[in-house]
Amino acid sequence: MNVTGRLPIVAVILAGILLGTWLLIGGSGLPDIVERFSSAEPETESGSATGSRGGELFTKDDLSLELIIHEEGVFPHFRIYPYWQKQSLSPAEVKVTVALSRLGRPAQLFHFRPESDYLISDQEVEEPHSFELVVAAEYQGKAYRWNHSQVEARVEMSDTMMQSSDIELATAGPAVIRSEITLPGEIIFNEHNIVHVVPRLPGMVVSIKRHHGQRVKKGEVLAVMESAMLADLHSQYLLARRRQTLAQTIYDREEQLWREKITARQDYLTARQQREEASITTQLAAERLLALGVQPKSDLSGKNLARYEIRSPISGIVIDEAIVTGEVVKEDKTAFIIADISTIWAAVRVFPGNLHQVHVGQRAVIRANAYDLTREGEVTYVTTLLDEQTRTAVARVQLDNQDERWRPGMFVKADLQTEAAEVPVAVSLEAIQTIGDQSVVFGRYGDYFEMRPLKLGRSDNRMAEVIEGLFAGERYAVSNSFIIKSELGKAGAAHDH
């Protein structure tokens, strides 16, 4: 159906809406307006003429009304300039009402009051200026009515065309907006998982089995030393074992003789005491070896008693190697540093203005954009003191790194969630396009897409709150909405400010 054929139907629908509104609110005077809108008098065609001010000129008999949308320096509104026999007419002598209908919107009724040489509407004319309207006027007791249709920022697109363009729809509605702040940071080692390996006894380095950057397992040999102290400790242990064996033999013999009443009880008690002293001495020698990580062994014949192996206490990566072959080292020298990188920290720089927004337990998303890595964690600690040079605090975010994709030294961005708020209407960020200086989405109405300028509120990395411009339940284009914007540009259909 063409626009001209639809206008009478629109007029009847608008009249019905206005009458229903009047019945609900118990208003007065509206039946006259409804009668004007539903009058069967002949209508003028939409856009049949242009007035001297560039607006739509509606003329019947000797009465003419020029309708413009004025938006210079003020919010857009209707202005109507009345004429009688092509001469300016006092606006106070004419009563005008306009009923306006849009795609996906309830009808609006505009009333007018005289101002200067024109009539001004009591409401803003929202964008896009795409609508169908009925103008009802009364002058010198006679009623007049005109219909008008105006299309702007609208693209016709069938469902088939929409699917072929991979344009997907979503429905505006409630959503949880998670407000965030983004701060810089760097990946560092988890300091709780770093171990300094020391020999625990002096000696000379004979060989080095693992080097800087290599992976090691718990208990794996890192280096081999020869230590005179270890040889002495082995000797003490072996000597104590032999004395214990001898003392046990003497005790067994004295016990037997005492039971047979061959020797005195005193000899038996002396043998038992010597056996216990030998056992204590052996145990002490064994403990000294165990404290160095050496398993006491009674059979060391033919073996190097001075050989000592430095073993890794954890699984991880050698991040520092501080000894060389042939070096004589002391028992407290750091020979290796081993780091377990199954968990790491993101050290996030917190500026003074953001300190009140960061706290322990806070959810954080860490992004290493250069490496296309994203991982979620939580703040485990915030330093109390500010760095003297940067004047920032550091928030530590612990991250799981079982896959070892995160490497210390990476520069990262941290998105810290500051609050979560539920909003009544929100749209996907992917759907928002910019036309002029406005953020817009494209609503879906039948086979048409039409621009809907938005007033936005809070947003996160997925959704944006809609304060004005779209109602809950309205469908809009999400993916590939730029195609619709492109079609508008080709048709010159977007409103030019």
Side-chain angles (χ1 to χ4, degrees):
M1 184 183 292
N2 59 32
V3 171
T4 303
R6 292 170 56 187
L7 291 175
I9 298 174
V10 172
V12 173
I13 293 173
L14 291 175
I17 293 172
L18 296 174
L19 180 58
T21 304
W22 174 78
L23 290 173
L24 288 173
I25 65 176
S28 62
L30 195 57
D32 294 335
I33 297 173
V34 174
E35 183 179 353
R36 277 181 263 151
F37 277 101
S38 59
S39 169
E41 294 182 14
E43 304 164 359
T44 61
E45 291 189 1
S46 172
S48 59
T50 302
S52 60
R53 291 177 170 81
E56 290 292 333
L57 187 64
F58 305 105
T59 302
K60 184 176 181 183
D61 298 334
D62 291 326
L63 179 66
S64 298
L65 301 179
E66 183 176 0
L67 175 69
I68 67 171
I69 299 176
H70 185 85
E71 49 189 329
E72 296 181 5
V74 293
F75 64 84
H77 60 271
F78 285 129
R79 287 187 180 182
I80 294 178
Y81 293 85
Y83 304 93
W84 179 256
Q85 296 180 352
K86 299 184 180 181
Q87 300 297 317
S88 294
L89 182 65
S90 171
E93 297 182 33
V94 185
K95 292 182 180 180
V96 180
T97 308
V98 171
L100 181 147
S101 175
R102 297 176 182 270
L103 292 178
R105 293 289 188 273
Q108 287 180 277
L109 182 63
F110 290 81
H111 297 281
F112 291 79
R113 58 178 174 80
E115 184 171 304
S116 184
D117 60 342
Y118 54 85
L119 293 156
I120 185 171
S121 64
D122 61 347
Q123 299 178 55
E124 179 179 354
V125 183
E126 297 179 355
E127 292 198 45
H129 298 156
S130 183
F131 43 71
E132 293 178 346
L133 54 80
V134 178
V135 180
E138 185 177 333
Y139 176 63
Q140 293 182 348
K142 185 176 180 180
Y144 301 83
R145 181 171 60 83
W146 297 271
N147 295 334
H148 175 61
S149 179
Q150 178 171 315
V151 175
E152 177 182 284
R154 183 185 299 177
V155 173
E156 184 174 5
M157 186 177 293
S158 66
D159 290 342
T160 302
M161 292 176 60
M162 184 179 70
Q163 292 171 4
S164 66
S165 299
D166 291 328
I167 296 175
E168 296 181 359
L169 302 179
T171 302
V176 176
I177 302 296
R178 305 183 186 278
S179 299
E180 297 176 341
I181 56 172
T182 300
L183 299 172
E186 181 182 357
I187 298 299
I188 62 174
F189 289 108
N190 181 342
E191 294 177 4
H192 299 161
N193 293 342
I194 295 179
V195 177
H196 290 244
V197 182
V198 298
R200 292 188 285 187
L201 49 75
M204 183 182 70
V205 179
V206 176
S207 64
I208 298 175
K209 303 296 185 181
R210 288 292 179 267
H211 300 279
H212 188 281
Q214 290 185 319
R215 299 177 187 277
V216 295
K217 295 181 178 180
K218 183 178 180 179
E220 191 171 349
V221 177
L222 301 175
V224 178
M225 296 174 53
E226 288 187 351
S227 172
M229 178 182 290
L230 180 61
D232 184 52
L233 290 174
H234 273 305
S235 298
Q236 291 178 21
Y237 174 71
L238 291 174
L239 181 60
R241 287 280 299 176
R242 289 173 183 172
R243 287 176 177 174
Q244 182 182 13
T245 301
L246 178 61
Q248 181 67 43
T249 301
I250 295 173
Y251 169 77
D252 292 341
R253 186 190 65 185
E254 290 296 330
E255 182 183 29
Q256 181 66 30
L257 293 174
W258 175 67
R259 291 187 183 281
E260 294 176 357
K261 301 186 183 301
I262 298 175
T263 60
R265 176 180 173 80
Q266 184 63 37
D267 293 337
Y268 162 69
L269 294 176
T270 299
R272 186 173 73 176
Q273 181 179 353
Q274 290 174 347
R275 185 197 67 170
E276 291 176 352
E277 289 176 353
S279 176
I280 292 172
T281 301
T282 301
Q283 184 177 356
L284 178 60
E287 291 294 337
R288 287 174 178 171
L289 289 172
L290 289 171
L292 299 175
V294 178
Q295 189 67 33
K297 295 180 181 179
S298 58
D299 183 15
L300 291 173
S301 58
K303 295 183 179 181
N304 186 352
L305 298 182
R307 179 185 173 89
Y308 175 64
E309 296 175 336
I310 303 175
R311 296 178 178 272
S312 176
I314 62 171
S315 297
I317 294 177
V318 179
I319 63 173
D320 192 21
E321 175 189 352
I323 57 174
V324 295
T325 302
E327 180 183 0
V328 176
V329 298
K330 295 182 178 180
E331 66 273 13
D332 59 351
K333 175 182 175 64
T334 297
F336 296 90
I337 300 179
I338 311 296
D340 175 6
I341 61 170
S342 60
T343 62
I344 46 87
W345 287 345
V348 181
R349 290 289 176 183
V350 184
F351 304 104
N354 299 118
L355 279 173
H356 69 286
Q357 297 175 299
V358 181
H359 55 82
V360 173
Q362 187 172 14
R363 174 183 173 274
V365 176
I366 306 301
R367 296 179 287 109
N369 295 333
Y371 305 90
D372 194 26
L373 293 175
T374 301
R375 191 147 296 173
E376 185 173 326
E378 68 175 38
V379 177
T380 59
Y381 176 71
V382 181
T383 57
T384 304
L385 301 178
L386 299 182
D387 185 275
E388 292 184 359
Q389 296 181 343
T390 63
R391 310 309 299 171
T392 58
V394 174
R396 293 175 184 167
V397 179
Q398 184 163 310
L399 301 177
D400 179 85
N401 192 36
Q402 296 290 341
D403 55 6
E404 297 186 0
R405 297 182 67 192
W406 296 82
R407 298 174 181 271
M410 286 181 174
F411 290 110
V412 297
K413 294 288 186 181
D415 299 323
L416 301 175
Q417 180 182 316
T418 57
E419 64 174 337
E422 187 171 349
V423 298
V425 184
V427 295
S428 170
L429 288 181
E430 184 183 0
I432 299 174
Q433 298 289 333
T434 301
I435 294 181
D437 58 353
Q438 292 181 318
S439 296
V440 306
V441 295
F442 298 101
R444 181 68 171 172
Y445 310 99
D447 284 341
Y448 295 98
F449 281 108
E450 190 167 278
M451 181 183 77
R452 289 290 179 259
L454 303 179
K455 181 179 179 181
L456 300 175
R458 293 162 289 188
S459 65
D460 56 20
N461 58 354
R462 298 186 311 107
M463 306 292 288
E465 176 187 13
V466 176
I467 298 175
E468 293 179 3
L470 205 64
F471 297 132
E474 286 194 81
R475 295 194 305 164
Y476 63 96
V478 182
S479 60
N480 294 323
S481 60
F482 65 89
I483 295 176
I484 306 171
K485 177 181 176 180
S486 176
E487 291 298 319
L488 283 181
K490 294 176 183 178
H495 181 60
D496 184 8
H497 293 280

